Amino acid sequence: MFARSLSCAKSATAHVGKYQLRCFSHLPLSVPVKLPNGMEYEQPTGLFINNRFVPSQQHKTFEVISPSTEEEICHVYEGREEDVDLAVDAADEAFRNGWWSKIDPQERGKALYRLAELMERDAELLASIETLDNGKAIANARGDVQLAISYLKSSAGAVDKIDGRVINTGDTHFSYTKREPLGVCGQVIPWNFPLLMWSWKIAPALVTGNTVVLKPAEATPLSALYVCKFVAEAGIPPGVINIVSGFGKIVGESLSTHPKVKKIAFTGSTATGIHIYRNAASTLKKITLELGGKSPNIVFADADLEGAVNNAILGIYYNSGEVCASGSRIYVEESAYDAFVDKLRAASEKLKVGDPFDETTFQGAQTTQNQLSKILSYVDVGKQEGATLITGGERLGNKGFFIRPTIFGDVTEDMRIVKEEIFGPVVTISKFKTLDQVVEMANDTEYGLAAGIHTTNLNNAIKLADRLKSGSVWINTYNDFHPNVPFGGFGASGIGREMGIEALQNYTQVKAVRAKLE
């Protein structure tokens, strides 16, 4: 990645290749940023602790660049272990001695709803910040912002779902359960959906009475910091939300092992999730992990092929293919295979890839140089393994991290491009003859995050959905999320769920009370 840490004992300038890396002993806590669409705003650069933006203890900073131009946007302060300690102490104090966890849940809901309204007021600016920082098309970014706002509002209205039950144990005792918050929750979010993942983590933790220390991805910290400008105005007290920007090996490691952190929520790669799981075990933290995927997208011959192609495009190219639930393995019934491939290739080649601020752009930049290089390396692997490159597979232009939508055909199930998560706009297409065969092919993976089914035969769709090892199954749609519908995976795709009542349960623990009656 191009975000690099620099020691800030004094002001310094360094060069790595063509990139200028600056370090400031007194970096301002906000800097002016002018966006490509002409909007201007003040970008917070500090850590957010106790409702204040503050410099890191060591005054270290790291560079944030635009994936579409490869130019520096700004520097932000880099948190380290001592900053995590300060943030956790603030969160712990707010939980133990503050009133956030003890007030009427309706008051927490009101504050969360107010936060959503403040974000709604700046929705276009938030979308523009996402596009600048992440490289995604502005239309995608607007969708992310609306989903984030909707989820905050939905969670704010879910306070009546945080309840227990009365248990009939006879007339000698009164027995009941109640759900209580856990305490300080450490949260680590990825770079593909910075603001949306912020909302998916913050909302259920806050509405259930917990406090939070969150680490945004080092490649995309800007929107997570910006929305913290609204926290106090929304009525959320100091210490409830804390943001520590920095690197996973330092901030993420510290959060996952910290004795005062009672829960870790992580979204990212399976390998990192396993590492965090092991760290969390040392202090028996509650944990939720939303990890990788290699999701099958299944098309039957009786499907509306135009609709299936549109859903396949949304399933693999949306957000530049940087979606854990991407439908990256397409299985088409043999009699419809040739027609589907022709339609998908034609549609893929018409997609506009480029300037993410252009309203007509469908696919923006990959978020980092590392990710672009990884995707291109998988294109080489596919060719070496004998797959047929139907279209794409090339970097677009010499500036910015752009790649053409890519389709591989003539693949076998043992190929790496079929087995391994690429996390980019690369899809493989295979044929199937029978329902049993496609079930076997679809389930031949360590992952189990999502799946798609396209057919006009509802009986087949339901039968197949029941047999797929996937946490989410979309029928005649894809990447179709709703705040009330839980999302999460089987197997190597993770533990626990985002959204829905299930997310609230992840942030509470059950207390049983049994009173003997006279």
Side-chain angles (χ1 to χ4, degrees), residues 1-4 65 191 217-219 247 368-371:
M1 290 183 183
F2 285 90
R4 305 174 197 274
I65 71 161
W191 41 255
E218 58 267 27
F247 295 85
T368 69
Q369 173 69 67
N370 279 356
Q371 190 59 28

Side-chain angles (χ1 to χ4, degrees), residues 194 291 307 328 367 404 426 495:
L291 307 176
S328 54
T367 304
R404 296 185 187 279
V426 180
I495 299 169

Side-chain angles (χ1 to χ4, degrees), residues 93-406:
E93 176 73 14
F95 181 76
R96 289 188 300 108
N97 301 322
W99 51 271
W100 183 252
S101 64
K102 301 176 178 66
I103 60 170
D104 185 332
Q106 295 288 343
E107 296 302 314
R108 293 197 296 266
K110 289 178 182 178
L112 204 61
Y113 198 92
R114 178 59 178 153
L115 179 61
E117 289 182 321
L118 293 169
M119 290 169 59
E120 203 163 28
R121 182 188 65 190
D122 275 8
E124 184 64 17
L125 176 57
L126 286 169
S128 299
I129 294 171
E130 289 289 83
T131 293
L132 177 71
D133 197 16
N134 169 275
K136 66 178 65 192
I138 186 69
N140 288 176
R142 290 187 186 116
D144 292 358
V145 172
Q146 289 307 314
L147 283 170
I149 292 168
S150 294
Y151 184 56
L152 290 175
K153 289 181 176 180
S154 175
S155 297
V159 292
D160 61 342
K161 304 297 190 296
I162 311 163
D163 55 15
R165 60 192 178 98
V166 175
I167 305 169
N168 185 354
T169 58
D171 60 4
T172 60
H173 293 76
F174 178 57
S175 303
Y176 66 94
T177 64
K178 58 182 295 191
R179 285 194 170 270
E180 296 184 349
L182 301 169
V184 180
C185 299
Q187 301 178 324
V188 181
I189 61 175
W191 41 255
N192 57 333
F193 290 99
L195 187 61
L196 184 58
M197 294 298 102
W198 187 91
S199 73
W200 281 13
K201 295 292 186 287
I202 292 288
L206 263 60
V207 79
T208 49
N210 299 281
T211 58
V212 165
V213 180
L214 181 144
K215 187 197 91 68
E218 58 267 27
T220 55
L222 301 187
S223 60
L225 292 172
Y226 184 82
V227 292
C228 287
K229 295 172 69 172
F230 306 142
V231 168
E233 187 178 352
I236 299 171
V240 173
I241 295 178
N242 304 275
I243 307 293
V244 181
S245 305
F247 295 85
K249 290 185 178 179
I250 298 172
V251 177
E253 194 81 2
S254 184
L255 281 173
S256 63
T257 57
H258 202 292
K260 290 184 179 179
V261 173
K262 303 305 179 184
K263 174 192 169 66
I264 286 287
F266 169 77
T267 298
S269 73
T270 297
T272 303
I274 291 171
H275 178 76
I276 287 176
Y277 199 5
R278 288 171 176 157
N279 281 351
S282 65
T283 50
L284 293 177
K285 302 183 194 310
K286 194 165 185 174
I287 191 162
T288 51
L289 303 170
E290 199 268 280
L291 307 176
K294 193 69 178 176
S295 300
N297 202 358
I298 300 165
V299 181
F300 286 89
D302 65 1
D304 169 10
L305 288 191
E306 294 290 347
V309 167
N310 290 335
N311 287 329
I313 286 174
L314 186 66
I316 188 59
Y317 303 137
Y318 175 76
N319 204 58
S320 304
E322 294 173 343
V323 184
C324 52
S326 282
S328 54
R329 293 183 293 144
I330 297 177
Y331 295 100
V332 184
E333 193 168 3
E334 189 172 53
S335 61
Y337 180 86
D338 290 340
F340 182 88
V341 170
D342 288 344
K343 289 178 181 293
L344 183 62
R345 177 179 60 234
S348 299
E349 291 173 351
K350 289 178 183 177
L351 295 177
K352 184 169 182 178
V353 181
D355 177 9
F357 281 94
D358 185 331
E359 295 288 348
T360 63
T361 293
F362 181 85
Q363 182 182 306
Q366 308 309 133
T367 304
T368 69
Q369 173 69 67
N370 279 356
Q371 190 59 28
L372 175 66
S373 298
K374 175 186 174 183
I375 295 165
L376 291 172
S377 72
Y378 270 106
V379 172
D380 290 339
V381 167
K383 293 176 181 177
Q384 293 165 9
E385 289 181 324
T388 298
L389 181 62
I390 294 172
T391 190
E394 300 172 335
R395 181 174 184 174
L396 184 64
N398 298 315
K399 190 174 186 180
F401 309 138
F402 300 98
I403 184 173
R404 296 185 187 279
T406 302

